[in-house]
Each structure stands twice: as structure tokens, then as C-alpha cells.
Amino acid sequence: MKFNIYNNLKEKLLKKLISQNLIGKLEKIFIMYNGIISTDFQFNSQISKYEGKVRDVYHLEDKIIMVVTDRVSCFDVILPKPIPYKGQILNQIAEKFLKMTKNIVPNWVESVPDPNVTIGKKCNPFDIEMVIRGYLSGHAWREYKLGKRELCGVELPNGMKENDKFPSPIITPTSKAQVGHDMDLSKDDIIQSGLINKSDYNKLEEFTYALFETGTNYAKSRGLLLVDTKYEFAVYNEKIHIIDEIHTPDSSRYFYEESYEDLQSRGEKQRQLSKEFLREWLIENGFQGNEGEEVPEMNDSIISSVSERYIELYENLIGEKFEKRNTIDILNQIEQNVNKVI
């Protein structure tokens, strides 16, 4: 009886908050709103579940359900606190770009029944990530700064500064580590080790360049520069498909085109839309994912700023105001939305 009275009062309070447009204000006060840090669904015909760095993947017999959580990883380490709305942002950006590029390479998506969920074909993935770079930034710059002039078998020009543009984009593949750090690989490493045969690798290269060109042109139309990104590929019915996400702030780095040349000429940091600012904050606070290092405390202010940066990127990249989903009882919402389509 007490439980029913509590539920009735809760329902009345929520209706009042919604009617007075106070939900947004309430979420600002309690920005951690129970962001999705993990899930534990039991869907019909579910065979298994795999937890990635950001996504929880539920395997059915002939398809997968990918739930994009609000987890965030840096230096291949999952940080202890979720970032509000991050999962929704990643899922919706990926949906847009996968639709945009399906004429280049088929993709795995069948439906998007919920802002945080994509359902698609169960593909057989290649065990590498195809990283492509248009500028000397991030990991490439950190290696270059150490004096290295070759990355993944690609020679790097001398005399470059951080964030300089390469004469043409370079592909720097990595392994896909289940635990720990991804490893840089060269084309020769991949083919000689038997990870991928030469014919398939050449197709992946071709798709990677074409996808990057499309992403670059779209970003330019939005006043942005696509700096670098990564793609994951798989095989379905003997055809190569692109899987996972593309051109999101987790898989890509963007600069503002308008200020790029001026900042570069003065040797100043680029204004960028990516999670590089979070990596830099972690580095400044003594964490790069190395053994023995502890993740610094991420207080509400840091969490809020990271969430706002993700929203900023969405709005700049997509050109629309980001509509925050209703987060009340979010896990039940997801379960119901998925069950309607499987």
C-alpha cells in the first residue's frame, strides 16, 4: 500500500514538473541523472552479451542489439563516471553518417528503435581498426614529438608542427585490443601475420579513403575540419560492411575551420570538437593509462563540461539543436523500445 502511494505521488510530481517545463532545470541541478554506466537486459532469443568500452552488445541468433551507454574511455581505460547524454549523441551521429555513406560501403544497421540503441546484422569483424589522419594530431603528434618519423609503416615528413596538415591523408591501422591498449600496425604487419589477406586489406583502404573524403566534405560544409577518425569493418554474406560508429566525437577529431590557419600560424592550440580535451585534462592530472596510474577525480564540474562539449559537437556537426531524451526510468524505456522490434 505504501509503495503504491509513493508511486502515485512520484507520478503526480513528475507530471507537475513536466507541465511547468521544470524537467530541464531539475536535470541541470542533478546532472548525473543516473547516466547509463552499465546494462543487464534479458531480451527474447538473447544468446550472449559483450561489454565493450562504451557499448553493451547483445547477441541474438541472427542480429545484434547495440546499447550505447554513457561510459567514456580514454587511453583504452573506462573512466569511472558516465557522461550525461553521451550515448544518445554518439548513436544519433552514427545513424546519420551511416545513412549518408551507404552508397560507398554497406553498413550493419537494420533499425534504431531508441535514441541509445541500434539493431543490426551480426557480422564477422576484422580484428583491426582503420585509423586515417589528415593532420598531425593526438597519438600521431605524441609519437612525432618523441622523434619518431615513421608511424605504422608510413614515413612522416620532417619539420612538422602539432596539428599541421599532411600532404595527403595517411592510414595508420591498429589492433583491436579486448583488454589494454590498441597496438599500432603496418600494412605489412597485417598481411604477413594473416590478420587480413591482401585483397581484403586493399578494399578496406579504398573504403577508408572514400569515407574520409565524404566526412571531410560534410565537415567543411559545417565549418569544421575532420582531423582524424577510425573505421571498423566486417564481413556479412561475403561482402565487406562498415560496423559500429563513424564520424562521432569518440571516433573522430574535429577542428573549427575558421580559426585553424590563424591559430596554427601563431603556434596556439586549436579549437577542437573531440574528446582530446578530456585526454589533455587527464594528462595534466597525471594519467595516461599506464600501469600504476590512478584516474583523477572527475567532479561534477568536469562531468558537466564534458557533457556540454559533446552537445556542442552534435549541434555544430549536425546543424540542429540537440533534444535531450527523457531520462526518467531510461532502462525500462530502452527495453520496451527494443522489444517492440525484435
Side-chain angles (χ1 to χ4, degrees), residues 29-251:
I29 297 168
F30 301 102
I31 192 156
M32 288 304 290
Y33 87 85
N34 294 328
I36 306 170
I37 193 73
S38 65
T39 67
D40 188 23
F41 298 115
Q42 295 297 321
F43 297 115
N44 291 333
S45 305
Q46 180 178 319
I47 296 171
S48 62
K49 174 195 172 188
Y50 166 74
E51 285 192 13
K53 291 168 186 168
V54 173
R55 290 159 179 76
D56 288 351
V57 182
Y58 293 83
H59 290 259
L60 308 187
E61 191 169 325
D62 61 345
K63 62 185 67 181
I64 62 173
I65 300 164
M66 188 177 284
V67 181
V68 190
T69 72
D70 296 320
R71 295 193 295 266
V72 61
S73 89
C74 281
F75 304 111
D76 299 311
V77 174
I78 299 170
L79 304 185
K81 291 183 179 179
I83 305 299
Y85 305 105
K86 175 178 174 288
Q88 178 187 349
I89 288 166
L90 297 187
N91 201 51
Q92 291 181 337
I93 291 176
E95 178 188 11
K96 179 181 179 72
F97 282 112
L98 287 167
K99 282 180 180 176
M100 185 187 297
T101 55
K102 64 183 180 182
N103 63 317
I104 298 173
V105 55
N107 64 62
W108 71 287
V109 176
E110 292 182 347
S111 65
V112 182
D114 181 275
N116 284 73
V117 179
T118 298
I119 297 177
K121 307 173 186 72
K122 185 184 278 190
C123 304
N124 185 25
F126 293 108
D127 289 328
I128 64 167
E129 295 179 349
M130 295 295 281
V131 180
I132 182 165
R133 304 175 184 278
Y135 298 76
L136 182 62
S137 303
H139 170 67
W141 166 246
R142 287 189 281 273
E143 294 291 289
Y144 193 91
K145 194 167 56 170
L146 293 173
K148 298 180 182 179
R149 292 298 178 266
E150 184 180 295
L151 184 63
C152 301
V154 179
E155 288 189 17
L156 305 177
N158 284 314
M160 293 187 73
K161 305 190 303 295
E162 182 178 12
N163 300 325
D164 276 352
K165 187 176 183 178
F166 288 119
S168 58
I170 64 171
I171 292 177
T172 58
T174 69
S175 63
K176 281 169 46 172
Q178 302 300 317
V179 177
H181 294 289
D182 297 337
M183 301 294 292
D184 290 336
L185 299 170
S186 70
K187 178 177 180 175
D188 287 344
D189 292 334
I190 292 165
I191 294 170
Q192 290 171 12
S193 68
L195 271 174
I196 301 178
N197 65 52
K198 186 174 182 179
S199 174
D200 282 345
Y201 185 85
N202 287 339
K203 288 176 187 172
L204 297 192
E205 272 195 340
E206 182 183 333
F207 288 141
T208 297
Y209 283 123
L211 290 165
F212 190 69
E213 183 179 6
T214 297
T216 295
N217 291 338
Y218 176 82
K220 195 172 179 65
S221 76
R222 299 294 315 150
L224 298 169
L225 300 173
L226 178 56
V227 176
D228 52 41
T229 191
K230 68 180 179 69
Y231 305 114
E232 297 187 42
F233 295 95
V235 174
Y236 179 80
N237 282 350
E238 299 183 354
K239 286 187 177 179
I240 293 175
H241 286 58
I242 189 161
I243 58 172
D244 201 32
E245 63 180 356
I246 67 169
H247 300 161
T248 72
D250 267 22
S251 66

Side-chain angles (χ1 to χ4, degrees), residues 96-97 100 215-225 254-258 273 312-321:
K96 179 181 179 72
F97 282 112
M100 185 187 297
T216 295
N217 291 338
Y218 176 82
K220 195 172 179 65
S221 76
R222 299 294 315 150
L224 298 169
L225 300 173
Y254 293 89
F255 293 156
Y256 286 96
E257 184 181 26
E258 181 183 39
L273 289 172
E312 180 189 0
L313 190 142
Y314 177 93
E315 293 181 344
N316 278 276
L317 190 58
I318 303 302
E320 300 170 3
K321 182 174 173 54

